[in-house]
Amino acid sequence: MTQRVLTGITTTGTPHLGNYVGAIRPAIAASREVGVESFFFLADYHALIKCDDPARIARSRLEIAACWVAAGLDTNRVTFYAQSDIPETTELNWLLTCVTAKGQMNRAHAYKASVDANEAKGEEPDDGVTMGLFCYPILMAADILLFNAHRVPVGRDQVQHIEMARDVAQRFNHLYGGGKDLFVLPEAEIEESVATLPGLDGRKMSKSYDNTVPLFEGGPKALKDAIARVVTDSKLPGEPKDPEGAHLVTLFDAFADAGQREAFRADLRGGLAWGEAKQRLVQLIEAHVGPMRETYADLMAHPERIEAVLQAGADKARARATPFLKELRQAVGLRRMVASGAVQAKADAAEKVALPVFKQYREADGQFYFKLTTADGSLLLQSQAFAEGREAGVWVKHLKLDGAAALDGAPVAFGDGVTPAQVAQALNDLQALEAQEQAAKAAKA
Ligand code: TRP
């Protein structure tokens, strides 16, 4: 069975090494597996929860998209899109909101962290907490469940959100599935070896802690400068160092193979200077990201390429999301009152009745004529006599195809009391119908 893998990155900053190691790299690797279908997206609705600076949101969307593509994402193979290009996300968000317990949201880590911080400062518990932040896990559940993802590669800090998505999926299935599972229950997927990359100060590398190492921005120099600031103990060159628990080693491990890891540890135990160790780390990372950085710079100079990629991705995503949401609406009881086919047939019939008609005929004088009447038979236009039936036919065709524009010079007289506006309206209606029929024919051909 095909496994669907899905993950998103919040577009509030410039991609850093933690994003790459924790999300982008494992996700791209998973997307290359056989039997895997991948959905990767810019979580730009989530970004609005954390950031109210439009310029920053816009820039970050571009940077992060360019980053994924530069990191080797095959956008033909995967579905790569912006969350905000999928309106079904917010529709599903509401359906899920209505089956999510508030108490469960009270326990969400991100919200609790804000409350704790407020309490520590002696503020009101909910000070500065928006409903966006409070409901953050529901929107995330919508992202995941909309595509019925099986696996969700995320950082460890996001595991609780995946569990919440499972819970809400389960409740929805139970309430509305009628014995059938509308939603797949997703599983969090964590790259065990380097689940959370430490930042410069050893805490999780995160925009919020301002302890990140840039991935591409600023070039090799920015990388070198950042690594130079990684906190180490104060052991001097030549003194043996304990590699276990050193942030620098965790960073190194994220890019090293088994042999390199072993050698690095042995050298540290043997007294390798921290400064030297940092240089080795920079070289190691640079060997990975240097080539990607060139592609990144090229894409940043051509935002139209990124936009085209995202739009194609949104089309692909919505080809799934739109029919699925229809099914979900149906399940919760948001249904048409009557079968939609019947409604359409009635509407079509009403329209046909209202349309004017052309008639071609031959009189007792042996001459050919045509006339245009309203649907109920009153005369709008009367043609002059034609010696040949074909001539009448040519005019009718001309009037049908070109509408009121064909009236000028046409061999016709208006019916009694008929205004030019009435005739123009009738002809233009017929012309529109003709155009529709032509288009339908062309589509079939
Ligand atoms: N909340 C995630 C983060 O900050 C980003 C995200 C949004 C996400 N929607 C998602 C991740 C759905 C996985 C699946 O990292």
Side-chain angles (χ1 to χ4, degrees):
M1 191 191 60
T2 305
Q3 288 279 302
R4 283 180 298 276
V5 174
L6 174 144
T7 199
I9 291 197
T10 312
T11 53
T12 45
T14 302
H16 56 67
L17 230 49
N19 297 139
Y20 177 69
V21 170
I24 305 177
R25 190 176 64 184
I28 292 178
S31 78
R32 293 186 178 136
E33 286 170 27
V34 182
V36 160
E37 190 184 0
S38 302
F39 297 80
F40 299 143
F41 66 96
L42 307 178
D44 49 2
Y45 279 142
H46 277 102
L48 299 181
I49 296 170
K50 299 185 186 162
C51 173
D52 59 9
D53 174 357
R56 181 154 170 218
I57 295 276
R59 171 142 189 104
S60 176
R61 289 174 91 246
L62 174 62
E63 286 177 349
I64 291 181
C67 200
W68 279 74
V69 175
L73 185 69
D74 179 351
T75 55
N76 291 317
R77 187 177 155 88
V78 308
T79 305
F80 182 57
Y81 55 96
Q83 183 188 30
S84 65
D85 281 332
I86 316 295
E88 287 81 4
T89 304
T90 47
E91 268 189 271
L92 179 55
N93 180 59
W94 184 251
L95 301 188
L96 299 179
T97 298
C98 295
V99 301
T100 302
K102 174 176 178 285
Q104 188 174 28
M105 294 300 99
N106 289 341
R107 293 190 287 278
H109 297 325
Y111 169 64
K112 266 191 10 200
S114 298
V115 171
D116 291 349
N118 282 332
E119 279 170 354
K121 280 186 287 175
E123 306 275 3
E124 284 290 305
D126 283 341
D127 194 59
V129 174
T130 63
M131 288 308 291
L133 175 63
F134 187 65
C135 299
Y136 183 111
I138 312 180
L139 180 58
M140 190 159 154
D143 294 330
I144 298 168
L145 302 181
L146 185 57
F147 298 100
N148 265 331
H150 299 92
R151 288 153 51 188
V152 185
V154 282
R156 201 178 286 287
D157 61 317
Q158 297 292 317
V159 171
Q160 187 198 34
H161 294 149
I162 314 299
E163 278 159 9
M164 289 176 162
R166 286 174 71 88
D167 278 357
V168 77
Q170 226 155 2
R171 196 160 325 122
F172 199 97
N173 283 346
H174 175 71
L175 285 170
Y176 298 119
K180 173 180 163 219
D181 282 342
L182 290 162
F183 292 131
V184 166
L185 306 187
E187 309 254 4
E189 192 171 70
I190 298 167
E191 182 154 5
E192 282 305 332
S193 54
V194 278
T196 311
L197 206 64
L200 302 179
D201 56 0
R203 289 186 292 173
K204 178 200 169 186
M205 189 180 292
S206 162
K207 307 177 256 256
S208 4
Y209 295 148
D210 195 21
N211 64 355
T212 63
V213 178
L215 177 56
F216 298 137
E217 282 296 319
K221 178 162 179 339
L223 176 67
K224 195 167 155 239
D225 291 350
I227 297 297
R229 284 165 38 227
V230 174
V231 175
T232 61
D233 64 27
S234 49
K235 296 240 162 67
L236 298 171
E239 269 186 83
K241 298 172 183 67
D242 179 11
E244 300 319 318
H247 317 314
L248 200 72
V249 176
T250 315
L251 286 166
F252 190 91
D253 284 354
F255 292 91
D257 61 30
Q260 290 169 319
R261 287 178 194 182
E262 231 3 89
F264 195 54
R265 280 170 169 68
D267 289 348
L268 282 169
R269 286 197 193 93
L272 179 71
W274 285 123
E276 180 120 351
K278 286 180 175 180
Q279 264 178 28
R280 282 212 214 160
L281 174 58
V282 170
Q283 276 168 10
L284 180 68
I285 298 177
E286 193 55 30
H288 278 258
V289 308
M292 297 176 194
R293 194 187 286 118
E294 273 175 40
T295 314
Y296 175 79
D298 194 37
L299 289 167
M300 289 299 288
H302 293 280
E304 73 285 358
R305 290 189 201 153
I306 292 291
E307 186 60 35
V309 163
L310 289 175
Q311 289 309 319
D315 287 348
K316 227 156 97 181
R318 294 194 71 200
R320 300 285 188 102
T322 310
F324 188 38
L325 211 84
K326 268 200 183 141
E327 190 187 338
L328 297 174
R329 293 174 64 105
Q330 187 77 12
V332 299
L334 301 175
R335 303 170 186 153
R336 296 233 181 215
M337 316 284 164
V338 252
S340 60
V343 174
Q344 196 53 47
K346 275 238 176 86
D348 289 352
E351 206 159 272
K352 284 230 171 74
V353 171
L355 280 176
V357 273
F358 272 109
K359 287 190 183 121
Q360 282 176 247
Y361 53 97
R362 197 173 185 184
E363 284 287 17
D365 59 7
Q367 308 258 63
F368 295 86
Y369 299 83
F370 69 85
K371 62 182 176 183
L372 178 67
T373 67
T374 60
D376 48 16
S378 57
L379 186 70
L380 291 169
L381 283 181
Q382 172 65 59
S383 79
Q384 64 168 52
F386 299 96
E388 301 281 342
R390 199 170 39 82
E391 286 174 82
V394 167
W395 272 106
V396 169
K397 185 146 191 214
H398 184 33
L399 286 162
K400 275 190 183 167
L401 281 177
D402 300 331
L407 266 182
D408 200 25
V412 290
F414 287 4
D416 275 349
V418 169
T419 65
Q422 267 175 295
V423 172
Q425 179 70 53
L427 287 172
N428 287 338
D429 285 353
L430 282 174
Q431 184 195 20
L433 178 73
E434 186 72 16
Q436 259 178 30
E437 282 174 357
Q438 297 289 339
K441 261 189 219 158
K444 262 189 210 155

